[in-house]
Amino acid sequence: MSAHDKGPLLGQQVSGSESYDPSLLFPVPRANARSTLRDARFEGFGEDLWHAYELSWLSPSGMPQMYTAVLRVPCSSTSIVESKSLKLYLNSLNNHRFASAEEARATIEVDVGRVVDAPVSLELFGPDDPAMSGCAVDAQCLDTLEVAIPETPDKARLRAEPGAQMRVCTHLMRSRCPVTDQPDWATVVIETRGVAAEREGLLAYLLAYRNHQEFHEQCVERIYTDLKTQLAPEFLSVHALYTRRGGIDICPWRCSEPLPAPNYRMHRQ
């Protein structure tokens, strides 16, 4: 029985597989969450960047190979891949022998691409590669502001103020997994041109996600769509850098222009 037949793996007691098993991958249609964006629909560009820190398989001679990796899934894909199913799938590679790292990379791209119904890319790095080093975000941090936190995210709190642009961040973003109800923490970076948001209202809106239950990708699209609807900026970018679980972190990014996705990680990731 495949993961597709068993349903979502999040919240289930699942032992995984000791042999290569692409059937573990489980799709979650993007349309499910996009249909709940109230009086707007998602229109933009972007990618979901997954950083994997425990990627391993065997060489032809049976020696373990160890990599870190960045998996890129376009936001135009039909589905996202459920995070637990991806972790179980990657773990199923641990005892599988690949002729080369290139063969392993191509296999993962094909398997994940088939599930999300779009081409994906995987970039491999050695465990000590500085490309996976963390950094500090270049943005005005809102976290010294004192605000009252609403019960739920209310886009009416997003108000324009004088200013031609802004680049701000908060390290206090928290949402909840819609299946397990576990908290997910992130740094959120928002950039606009043509208009700026009133800082206190923006921070209150973002902190209201504390008890909001949606997957990472869906939270970012909701934030992006609400900002676009309320402020009508000339340019808008929303980037959430979630902390890792089970050896993987997810960094969804949505933008009003088809630019290259930001390719960095925070120190706490």
Side-chain angles (χ1 to χ4, degrees):
M1 181 182 294
S2 72
H4 297 242
D5 300 321
K6 293 182 287 189
L9 299 177
L10 278 171
Q12 294 189 35
Q13 290 286 343
V14 182
S15 59
S17 176
E18 289 299 309
S19 58
Y20 166 57
D21 188 359
S23 74
L24 289 167
L25 292 166
F26 186 85
V28 178
R30 291 192 190 273
N32 292 351
R34 287 176 176 171
S35 66
T36 68
L37 292 176
R38 296 185 285 270
D39 58 343
R41 62 191 181 98
F42 172 73
E43 293 181 336
F45 306 90
E47 291 181 332
D48 303 324
L49 281 74
W50 299 64
H51 297 106
Y53 303 91
E54 301 168 0
L55 187 56
S56 183
W57 55 82
L58 301 180
S59 71
S61 66
M63 283 297 296
Q65 308 296 296
M66 192 72 203
Y67 290 88
T68 56
V70 178
L71 174 69
R72 296 172 180 267
V73 180
C75 72
S76 57
S77 66
T78 302
S79 299
I80 63 177
V81 58
E82 186 196 64
S83 59
K84 185 172 183 178
S85 79
L86 180 64
K87 295 164 190 172
L88 291 170
Y89 162 73
L90 294 179
N91 285 338
S92 82
L93 303 177
N94 291 172
N95 294 313
H96 188 75
R97 299 191 185 207
F98 286 106
S100 64
E102 174 58 26
E103 181 187 30
R105 184 193 63 77
T107 299
I108 296 169
E109 287 183 345
V110 169
D111 290 343
V112 176
R114 184 181 295 119
V115 169
V116 302
D117 193 26
V120 305
S121 67
L122 185 77
E123 190 173 5
L124 298 175
F125 302 92
D128 294 324
D129 195 313
M132 293 289 277
S133 298
C135 67
V137 66
D138 180 20
Q140 177 193 8
C141 185
L142 303 178
D143 296 348
T144 58
L145 300 175
E146 290 284 338
V147 298
I149 304 175
E151 292 279 334
T152 58
D154 181 3
K155 68 178 182 179
R157 292 181 175 269
L158 300 172
R159 299 180 295 273
E161 69 174 9
Q165 61 186 18
M166 70 173 186
R167 181 174 170 82
V168 297
C169 72
T170 177
H171 302 294
L172 307 179
M173 173 74 177
R174 191 189 84 157
S175 56
R176 288 186 176 275
C177 173
V179 179
T180 67
D181 199 37
Q182 292 299 302
D184 294 313
W185 292 94
T187 292
V188 177
V189 185
I190 295 173
E191 183 176 359
T192 65
R193 291 198 295 270
V195 68
E198 187 267 322
R199 269 51 170 182
E200 285 80 3
L202 175 59
L203 182 60
Y205 166 82
L206 294 173
L207 297 189
Y209 278 83
R210 286 183 66 80
N211 294 310
H212 181 78
Q213 293 183 306
E214 264 189 322
F215 293 122
H216 302 6
E217 302 93 330
Q218 297 166 350
C219 287
V220 171
E221 289 195 357
R222 189 172 299 278
I223 294 167
Y224 174 92
T225 302
D226 284 350
L227 284 166
K228 185 175 181 180
T229 301
Q230 292 299 103
L231 302 182
E234 296 173 6
F235 171 86
L236 173 61
S237 169
V238 179
H239 190 196
L241 299 105
Y242 279 87
T243 56
R244 77 181 78 171
R245 278 219 206 147
I248 295 177
D249 67 49
I250 312 174
C251 302
W253 171 71
R254 300 295 181 267
C255 187
S256 57
E257 298 180 5
L259 301 173
N263 189 19
Y264 64 89
R265 299 166 47 254
M266 304 297 298
H267 289 302
R268 68 173 175 168
Q269 289 182 284

